[in-house]
Amino acid sequence: MKKKKTLLLAGLCAALIGSANAQEKPTVQFIATGGTIAMKIDPIKKAPVPAISGDDLLATVPEVAEYAKIEVDNLSNVPSDYMDPPRWIELSKAVNAALQRPEVSGVIVSHGTDTLEETAFWLDLTVESEKPVVVIGAQRNASSSDFDGPRNLLNAVRIAVDEQAKDKGVLLAMNNQINAARHVTKTHTANVETFQSGDYGLLGEVYPDRVIFAREPLRRQHIAIKSDAMPKVEIVAMYGGADGALLRSAVDQGAKGIVVQALGMGNMNQPMFEAVKYALGKQIPVVISTRVHNGRVMANYGFEGGGKTTADAGAVMAGDLSPQKARILLMLLLQDGKTEQDELQAAFDAI
């Protein structure tokens, strides 16, 4: 009888300890927005379409329960090609609201890969918290036998509860690699190792036994969202033979800012340069970026259309930000009331 009581007591203690451990698990908010990670092959269209929720994806990774309690917010289920400023604003509000809850250790955002780098950078600029925000996607849809979504979600959960991930801004976690939102870009249409950070490299990696960080991003800033509608900012590409007509048209159609995807260190031909001056003459800020993947634009070349001539005319140099990220920063700065070349340039130099 005594032995039975002892076994009963031991079992009760084990149950209580297990219950306590379950309660001690950190809470992670998982915000699903759609993308390939939420798609399956439609039997009629015979092509991937939005099909699964955040809850469905979570159900494929029971191992996450070892690390955290996951709360799912199915914010949307759209291809990331549909992402735009109104959706970004809504997402920022959801992320900030989650991070303000004391019990939430971090936030995961699932997203399509086509504009994932833009959304990650937007969140990096508009979310103010030391808690981790981890964005993930998938290159293969949920109908694939080697679907990469579950692994990316599990890794994101492990990162979101890791003390090392605090105060590093928004992180992109795919293919066991961790990249900083500011530097990362999609480099391959299909490869699972599509996201790269160019000359800057990875922040860290996720291994079966632990998460390893090798460095942290230093150039970061926060810009509060002050408007429910972002100013219209267009990207215009420079290429051999460009005549500047599209840039002029963007100005005439009401653009409040222009980003030029220039060449090399930020150079363009004379017709495009004249179009830049046309925009500046109408008090429309112009930011010069480049189509080159690595390096930064500079006020360097002195020929008509060279980087120095556009800077002297009043344009802003984007540093090493890609055109799509320069557009996001310019939008946020304009809605924050910054329109002068010197204050815009200071913000681009800071980040």
Side-chain angles (χ1 to χ4, degrees):
M1 188 69 167
K2 186 175 181 181
K3 186 177 181 180
K4 286 184 179 179
K5 285 184 179 179
T6 302
L7 290 172
L8 182 62
L9 183 60
L12 180 59
C13 288
L16 289 173
I17 291 170
S19 176
N21 287 339
Q23 291 175 357
E24 289 169 7
K25 289 282 189 288
T27 298
V28 172
Q29 179 79 63
F30 172 30
I31 302 175
T33 69
T36 299
I37 197 169
M39 293 186 184
K40 282 189 170 183
I41 300 295
D42 181 271
I44 297 175
K45 295 182 177 180
K46 301 189 184 307
V49 297
I52 69 173
S53 67
D55 302 271
D56 296 329
L57 178 61
L58 183 62
T60 67
V61 201
E63 302 97 311
V64 299
E66 299 174 21
Y67 302 96
K69 172 188 173 186
I70 310 298
E71 295 181 357
V72 181
D73 176 4
N74 290 297
L75 189 65
S76 63
N77 195 347
V78 296
S80 70
D81 313 87
Y82 293 5
M83 294 301 285
D84 55 14
R87 286 191 168 98
W88 283 332
I89 292 170
E90 182 185 20
L91 180 57
S92 288
K93 289 178 179 178
V95 172
N96 277 312
L99 293 174
Q100 287 169 8
R101 294 167 51 199
E103 71 275 19
V104 172
S105 296
V107 169
I108 296 168
V109 177
S110 62
H111 193 284
T113 59
D114 284 351
T115 59
L116 186 49
E117 65 202 71
E118 293 177 62
T119 297
F121 187 55
W122 169 278
L123 292 174
D124 196 55
L125 292 171
T126 60
V127 171
E128 190 172 26
S129 175
E130 68 168 9
K131 297 177 181 178
V133 176
V134 188
V135 295
I136 61 170
Q139 286 287 81
R140 297 162 180 158
N141 67 76
S143 294
S144 301
S145 59
D146 53 355
F147 179 36
D148 51 327
R151 177 187 290 271
N152 293 336
L153 177 57
L154 176 59
N155 286 345
V157 171
R158 293 177 59 197
I159 295 167
V161 299
D162 195 304
E163 286 293 316
Q164 300 177 89
K166 286 185 176 179
D167 206 25
K168 287 185 171 59
V170 175
L171 308 172
L172 192 152
M174 289 180 60
N175 198 43
N176 297 334
Q177 299 172 333
I178 308 170
N179 284 279
R182 185 188 188 281
H183 298 131
V184 74
T185 191
K186 186 175 182 178
T187 66
H188 197 285
T189 57
N191 197 311
V192 293
E193 197 170 336
T194 180
F195 284 100
Q196 306 287 333
S197 292
D199 291 338
Y200 296 99
L202 303 175
L203 291 184
E205 296 180 287
V206 182
Y207 287 90
D209 61 333
R210 63 190 178 114
V211 176
I212 296 178
F213 281 93
R215 67 178 185 91
E216 60 184 290
L218 299 178
R219 299 178 64 193
R220 297 182 54 225
Q221 63 178 284
H222 173 71
I223 305 172
I225 297 174
K226 297 181 178 179
S227 173
D228 286 334
M230 289 293 116
K232 182 180 180 181
V233 175
E234 298 288 358
I235 299 174
V236 180
M238 170 61 205
Y239 48 87
D243 61 8
L246 292 177
L247 197 158
R248 293 172 184 270
S249 177
V251 172
D252 294 341
Q253 292 184 33
K256 302 303 180 186
I258 301 289
V259 173
V260 177
Q261 180 181 294
L263 310 177
M265 279 189 175
N267 307 315
M268 61 193 72
N269 61 14
Q270 290 173 307
M272 185 68 84
F273 179 48
E274 291 302 319
V276 167
K277 291 193 289 185
Y278 175 77
L280 293 170
K282 292 184 175 292
Q283 308 304 309
I284 304 301
V286 178
V287 172
I288 310 299
S289 181
T290 178
R291 72 184 188 184
V292 182
H293 294 298
N294 293 309
R296 56 187 280 257
V297 295
M298 295 176 62
N300 188 50
Y301 286 92
F303 61 84
E304 290 288 293
K308 188 173 189 308
T309 62
T310 54
D312 289 346
V316 173
M317 296 290 112
D320 59 2
L321 285 181
S322 65
Q324 57 269 30
K325 290 183 181 178
R327 171 179 174 260
I328 287 170
L329 180 55
L330 180 57
M331 270 196 306
L332 287 167
L333 290 169
L334 291 177
Q335 64 92 41
D336 195 34
K338 294 179 172 59
T339 59
E340 299 299 319
Q341 182 190 20
D342 59 347
E343 57 188 354
L344 291 173
Q345 189 63 68
F348 274 88
D349 287 345
I351 194 164

